[in-house]
Amino acid sequence: MASAPQANLPMFYKDLMPLNSRDHATWKAKNADAAPWLVGQHAIPLTAEEFPQAARHYPIIFASGDNPVPLALMGLNEGVNVFVDETGKVTQPIYIPAYVRRYPFLLAKLNPSSEELSLCFDPSSGLLGDSHEGQDLFTDGQPSEATKAALGFCEQFEQAGQRTQAFIDELKKHDLLMEGEVAIQQDGNDQPFIYRGFQMINQEKLREIRGDVLRGWAQSGLLPLLYAHLFSLELISQIFGAQVQLGKGPVPVVPVPAV
C-alpha cells in the first residue's frame, strides 16, 4: 500500500496511510469508548470557534514562538492529563476538542507538488481494520456514509483551521499576544508555583484598541473569543488542584508541544 510522507506528523499520529477502496474495501471502523492517544497529552490544539465551549472546561492559551497555536490545557505539565484515566477513558463530562475527535483520520497531501488533499488515517490506531466489527468504510466500492462523514468532518476542521489562522493573524497585527505567567499559591508552601512558557492576550493593549476596531471585532465575533480565552485562564487553578489530587504534583513550567 502506498503511504503518505511520514515526516513531521502531527500530535497523536504515528503513521499515515491514504484510505482507498482497493486496499480497504472490507475494512470497518469501530466505535471507541476511550481515547488512549490522549493519555499524557496535556495541551491540545483548538480552533478559534471552539473557544466558547472549551473555555467552560479548560484554560485556553497560545503556544510560544512565531506560530502561536491556540491550545486547551488538560494538564499543567508534560505527561499529565487530568481528564482521562490510564486507558484514555474520559473521567468527567467535558467538551472534547475537534482535534481529538478527528483522529485517526487526517487530510494530507499525497503529492508535495499538488494542493489536493486526500483522506488518510493512522493505521497504528487500532480503530480501523479488516477484522473489526463496526461501520463499513466502503459499500460496493464506494465510500460509505461513515467515510463520507469522516471526510466531511476533516474538511470542516481544515476550514476552521484557516479561520483560526486569520484570527491569529489579527492578534499579531495588533500585537495583542504577550508571554504569559501565572502564579498559584499552594497551602503549606511559602513560595507560589510559577507557570510560564505560553502566550496570552495582553489586556492593557486590548483596552487601547480603537473603538472602530472593537466594533468590527464585536460584529465579526472575534471579541467574544478574546474574552473566552481571558476568562478561561481562571481554570488554571482548578487544573492545578486536580493534579495535586491525582498525586501528580506541580512542576513550575507549562511546556507547549509542537503541533
Side-chain angles (χ1 to χ4, degrees):
M1 302 180 196
S3 292
Q6 305 303 301
N8 301 319
L9 289 178
M11 183 192 302
F12 300 159
Y13 297 84
K14 298 178 181 178
D15 196 0
L16 210 55
M17 179 179 294
L19 185 67
N20 65 81
S21 59
R22 181 194 65 210
D23 298 316
H24 312 118
T26 60
W27 281 35
K28 299 178 184 292
K30 70 176 182 179
N31 294 323
D33 58 1
W37 52 92
L38 258 183
V39 176
Q41 300 288 355
H42 75 295
I44 306 300
L46 278 179
T47 61
E49 58 200 44
E50 295 180 276
F51 279 27
Q53 295 166 290
R56 295 178 295 172
H57 303 111
Y58 317 109
I60 299 171
I61 62 169
F62 298 88
S64 290
D66 296 331
N67 184 30
V69 177
L71 299 165
L73 284 182
M74 302 184 83
L76 297 186
N77 299 106
E78 190 170 358
V80 178
N81 186 323
V82 301
F83 295 99
V84 297
D85 63 18
E86 64 276 3
T87 69
K89 188 178 291 290
V90 177
T91 57
Q92 52 189 290
I94 53 173
Y95 173 76
I96 305 298
Y99 188 94
V100 178
R101 289 181 278 126
R102 178 183 62 166
Y103 187 80
F105 295 103
L106 178 73
L107 288 180
K109 293 181 182 179
L110 301 183
N111 186 343
S113 62
S114 171
E115 293 300 315
E116 183 179 357
L117 297 175
S118 298
L119 184 63
C120 299
F121 68 99
D122 183 349
S124 72
S125 69
L127 296 174
L128 309 180
D130 195 16
S131 60
H132 288 327
E133 293 183 358
Q135 297 175 303
D136 291 328
L137 292 174
F138 294 94
T139 303
D140 297 328
Q142 298 300 316
S144 67
E145 291 303 315
T147 297
K148 290 177 183 178
L151 175 61
F153 188 87
C154 288
E155 289 174 340
Q156 292 171 11
F157 186 85
E158 290 296 318
Q159 294 163 7
Q162 294 172 8
R163 292 190 291 270
T164 300
Q165 187 57 56
F167 167 73
I168 294 296
D169 290 344
E170 187 72 5
L171 299 185
K172 293 169 70 174
K173 174 183 175 182
H174 294 277
D175 195 27
L176 281 180
L177 290 173
M178 70 176 190
E179 291 300 315
E181 180 177 301
V182 174
I184 301 177
Q185 187 69 55
Q186 185 184 31
D187 292 341
N189 286 310
D190 294 333
Q191 297 297 323
F193 288 91
I194 307 297
Y195 288 87
R196 302 186 181 93
F198 64 96
Q199 294 187 79
M200 58 186 288
I201 296 298
N202 186 325
Q203 295 189 60
E204 290 186 6
K205 289 192 176 182
L206 180 58
R207 286 191 288 268
E208 295 172 357
I209 296 295
R210 299 194 318 269
D212 59 330
V213 175
L214 288 176
R215 282 192 296 274
W217 288 354
Q219 293 169 356
S220 69
L222 185 148
L223 190 59
L225 302 183
L226 301 184
Y227 283 106
H229 150 70
L230 290 170
F231 292 148
S232 77
L233 296 177
E234 297 294 326
L235 296 175
I236 288 179
S237 60
Q238 292 187 24
I239 304 295
F240 179 92
Q243 287 194 184
V244 172
Q245 286 186 340
L246 290 171
K248 299 178 179 179
V251 179
V253 65
V254 181
V256 171
V259 293

